[in-house]
Amino acid sequence: MPVIHTYASTPISFEQRESLKATFGEAIATVPGKSEQWLMCLFEENMPIYLAGNGEDPAALVTVDVCSGEPIARAVWEGLTVTICGALKEQLGIDPTRIYIRYGTTPDFGWNNINF
């Protein structure tokens, strides 16, 4: 049950969303036991985001949450950071210095009237 939620200060076109979704779908497979089959991607655009007091330059916050009873290796998160930052730079023109990514795991995730 991975979820990648992107908050961007820029507009996000349909084509950009599709490209980001595809990139995120491939990248999530680097997390043990995860695949695009269960990935939920959320996109919020034109968000007022201030980073270091600057609200004029494009910026983004991305949260990545996965259901896992085991800790995820730091190297996995580091690889995702490179992929996510690269995709946001390419698709939305957001400099990686203006992107924060928050990773989280939980042993419980609800779906279809049950919890995993």
Side-chain angles (χ1 to χ4, degrees), residues 41-113:
C41 291
L42 297 89
F43 296 96
E44 296 194 46
E45 61 182 339
N46 297 317
M47 301 286 300
I49 298 176
Y50 290 80
L51 178 57
N54 176 344
E56 294 181 23
D57 295 328
L61 168 67
V62 179
T63 63
V64 180
D65 295 300
V66 298
C67 181
S68 178
E70 302 292 325
I72 306 299
R74 184 176 179 87
V76 171
W77 294 142
E78 289 171 350
L80 280 173
T81 296
V82 170
T83 299
I84 291 169
C85 285
L88 293 176
K89 171 75 172 161
E90 180 181 324
Q91 291 300 317
L92 304 180
I94 301 174
D95 190 282
T97 63
R98 305 254 328 139
I99 300 168
Y100 278 179
I101 304 170
R102 183 178 65 218
Y103 296 103
T105 61
T106 179
D108 299 300
F109 233 88
W111 170 77
N112 195 25
N113 297 316

